[in-house]
Amino acid sequence: MPVIGLLMGNLPQARTTRLLSSLLHAAAPSGTRLVELTPTDLPLHGPYTDAPVPTAALEWKRRLEEVDGLLIITPTHERAIPGTLKHALDWAVAARSSLVDKPVVIAGAAAPRQGSFMALVNLRSVLSDAGALVMRQPERTLTAQASDFSAHGHCHSAELDSQAHELLSAAAGYVAHVVRVGGPGSLPSVPTDPIRAVRAARTPAPRSPADGIPAFSDTASTPDPLAITADPVLGTISMDTTTGAPA
């Protein structure tokens, strides 16, 4: 059973963040466990290169390493990911990156008519630098707002519900694929050159059938068109054999 860690950047409305997280948990396909990852007690400053990693950061890195993969949801804050999300990722790579060869699926979260492209570009760059195996196309965005949920937290937006299920299905499939092919760092590859293997086998080529293939000739003869014409005028014209012009 693949275990996927859910890491969410804070949406503009705290209620929407909480309800969207609940929807993603409910959308997880059978056989997949989604666990929420929330860093706590991290230092307010970024990692130092000349100081030991504090205990809270070591615990955060351990939690990231325990999951099979990550699903990261980000809104757009000033054309980038939220500072709290960037801070958590900064500590994830402190001393030694806990994201190296970790399968990661990313998605934006935005209200209708508000894009998330720049945040996804920023997030993909941060994760790639950290050594994560980020799932490529398609870029996904959850169109979410507080009015999509009832007072009891039920999602009554068919579009958002469908987006959540499609995202979790893709995330589960990607993480399971990376784990199945050998764990982090073992993406599938072609073990040998197929053309070289065929040539090394020295298998004789199939013989052509005896019938059905026309024979080829090295020479061909074309009849003189004047010799076969029935035109009496052309038959009486004398031609110069050198130039081909009428004599």
Side-chain angles (χ1 to χ4, degrees):
M1 173 187 295
V3 179
I4 302 176
L6 174 62
L7 182 57
M8 290 189 62
N10 293 327
L11 276 67
Q13 295 178 318
R15 179 175 182 269
T16 308
T17 305
R18 184 177 67 256
L19 294 176
L20 181 58
S21 173
S22 298
L23 175 61
L24 293 173
H25 279 274
S30 177
T32 301
R33 188 160 67 94
L34 193 66
V35 296
E36 189 130 8
L37 298 177
T38 304
T40 56
D41 301 326
L42 289 178
L44 296 180
H45 60 79
Y48 293 129
T49 58
D50 59 347
V53 178
T55 303
L58 291 174
E59 174 63 19
W60 170 238
K61 290 167 65 65
R62 182 190 63 80
R63 294 178 61 195
L64 291 171
E65 292 169 358
E66 286 181 343
V67 297
D68 296 313
L70 291 174
L71 172 60
I72 303 180
I73 310 295
T74 180
T76 299
H77 282 195
E78 301 298 332
R79 296 170 61 84
I81 63 177
T84 51
L85 177 58
K86 179 62 165 60
H87 190 63
L89 295 175
D90 286 344
W91 279 107
V93 300
R96 178 185 61 82
S97 176
S98 298
L99 301 179
V100 172
D101 293 333
K102 180 77 67 177
V104 181
V105 177
I106 63 175
R113 296 179 298 280
Q114 294 184 9
S116 58
F117 175 75
M118 293 305 299
L120 290 174
V121 170
N122 181 213
L123 179 57
R124 186 179 294 277
S125 176
V126 171
L127 292 170
S128 297
D129 289 346
L133 303 176
V134 186
M135 183 180 179
R136 298 189 180 276
Q137 299 295 334
E139 300 283 7
R140 300 177 184 272
T141 296
L142 301 170
T143 306
Q145 55 188 342
S147 59
D148 292 330
F149 300 91
S150 67
H152 301 287
H154 174 71
C155 177
H156 49 68
S157 168
E159 179 183 7
L160 177 57
D161 185 75
S162 175
Q163 290 173 348
H165 280 81
E166 290 178 2
L167 174 61
L168 264 297
S169 177
Y174 178 68
V175 172
H177 169 72
V178 175
V179 172
R180 183 172 58 250
V181 298
S186 300
L187 292 178
S189 60
V190 179
T192 58
D193 183 347
I195 298 179
R196 181 180 300 175
V198 170
R199 289 175 175 170
R202 296 186 179 278
T203 304
R207 301 186 62 180
S208 299
D211 299 325
I213 298 180
F216 292 93
S217 175
D218 293 336
T219 60
S221 58
T222 303
D224 184 352
L226 297 182
I228 61 173
T229 180
D231 191 329
V233 176
L234 290 177
T236 61
I237 297 177
S238 177
M239 308 294 292
D240 188 304
T241 58
T242 302
T243 63

